[in-house]
Amino acid sequence: MKVVKRISLFFVMAGIMFSAGSYATLKAEQFFYPNKYGETGNGTAALYQDGEKAKEQVIETAVEKAPVITADTVYFIEEINLSDGTVQEKEEEIPVKYIGLDREELLGELEAYDNNPALSDLKMGFQNIELSSFSRDRVVVCKYYRPEPEEKGFYLMVADHFVIVYEKDKKTIHTNTDILLESLSEELQTEIIRGKYIENEQELYNFLESYSS
């Protein structure tokens, strides 16, 4: 009987030691590898996951603070005439290549355009372009022009036998002269009766100086 009791006690002690060892091993793994057991709450895994979420939120917030142009952004162009100071504002559809750009990227595109403007702008006397306003909802771009002065033309016509200088519209009198039509050559008389065009003020001055008494 004593032998049986000793054998039973041996197995009981062995079982207790095995259970204790397994429990200790499990706790050690839980401590060093918390994600393996999916700990939540105040555990290390939960803190790690919360930290990652917070980091993602910070990144998303930083991205949102840098506005970009969208297809719904209102696009205005202000055309400024440097010769007379007039300003003409018009709304246009946002260029496709501008969609998705932030302020700095748009400035780069405008600089490239400034160096190589469209032919239509060059004909209008294009000088330069600049960004006036930028936001996700509204972008304003200024284009500056200095048009070439238009040559002012005149017409020589006749009234009461005297040569009259009219503006280009043939209605507004520019200058009355003392030049009698009959004092001119027949060829020149015919031209003036039909309305002789004078291209600019220098040509008009030369005519008046040549034929005035």
Side-chain angles (χ1 to χ4, degrees):
M1 291 295 292
K2 289 182 178 180
V3 174
V4 173
K5 288 182 178 179
R6 287 175 181 175
I7 293 174
S8 298
L9 182 62
F10 173 78
F11 280 110
V12 169
M13 291 299 294
I16 293 173
M17 293 297 292
F18 177 78
S19 299
S22 299
Y23 180 78
T25 302
L26 178 62
K27 285 298 182 181
E29 288 189 357
Q30 287 178 341
F31 180 80
F32 289 107
Y33 305 98
N35 290 336
K36 180 177 179 181
Y37 296 93
E39 289 189 9
T40 57
N42 294 326
T44 306
L47 291 175
Y48 177 79
Q49 293 172 357
D50 290 343
E52 285 297 309
K53 289 181 181 178
K55 183 178 179 181
E56 290 176 1
Q57 290 176 353
V58 170
I59 293 174
E60 290 176 0
T61 302
V63 171
E64 289 177 357
K65 287 183 178 179
V68 298
I69 297 172
T70 70
D72 296 326
T73 302
V74 180
Y75 183 63
F76 282 101
I77 293 181
E78 290 184 350
E79 297 180 346
I80 302 173
N81 189 320
L82 296 174
S83 297
D84 57 18
T86 58
V87 178
Q88 181 179 356
E89 185 179 71
K90 58 183 180 181
E91 181 179 351
E92 292 188 356
E93 186 175 348
I94 191 77
V96 176
K97 65 179 181 179
Y98 290 172
I99 295 176
L101 302 184
D102 59 22
R103 187 177 187 277
E104 293 302 318
E105 292 169 332
L106 178 59
L107 285 173
E109 287 290 334
L110 295 182
E111 182 178 358
Y113 186 88
D114 193 62
N115 295 328
N116 188 28
L119 181 60
S120 57
D121 274 341
L122 288 175
K123 289 181 178 180
M124 294 172 59
F126 177 83
Q127 298 296 305
N128 66 290
I129 187 171
E130 68 177 16
L131 181 62
S132 175
S133 175
F134 181 93
S135 70
R136 180 186 179 88
D137 300 322
R138 186 172 185 267
V139 169
V140 180
V141 170
C142 292
K143 287 184 176 181
Y144 295 90
Y145 300 90
R146 193 180 297 278
E148 291 292 331
E150 184 180 354
E151 289 291 341
K152 190 174 183 180
F154 305 93
Y155 279 95
L156 300 180
M157 304 178 73
V158 62
D160 296 330
H161 302 283
F162 285 95
V163 176
I164 307 295
V165 181
Y166 283 85
E167 299 283 354
K168 203 171 184 178
D169 60 6
K170 293 186 177 182
K171 296 178 180 179
T172 306
I173 296 177
H174 177 73
T175 306
N176 289 305
T177 75
D178 58 357
I179 303 172
L180 276 169
L181 183 65
E182 289 79 3
S183 65
L184 304 176
S185 65
E186 291 185 3
E187 181 180 355
L188 190 53
Q189 288 183 42
T190 302
E191 289 185 51
I192 293 175
I193 291 172
R194 292 176 179 175
K196 179 178 174 59
Y197 181 66
I198 303 293
E199 291 186 353
N200 51 57
E201 291 187 350
Q202 183 61 48
E203 187 178 339
L204 175 62
Y205 174 79
N206 292 337
F207 174 85
L208 297 177
E209 187 180 50
S210 298
Y211 296 100
S212 294
S213 56

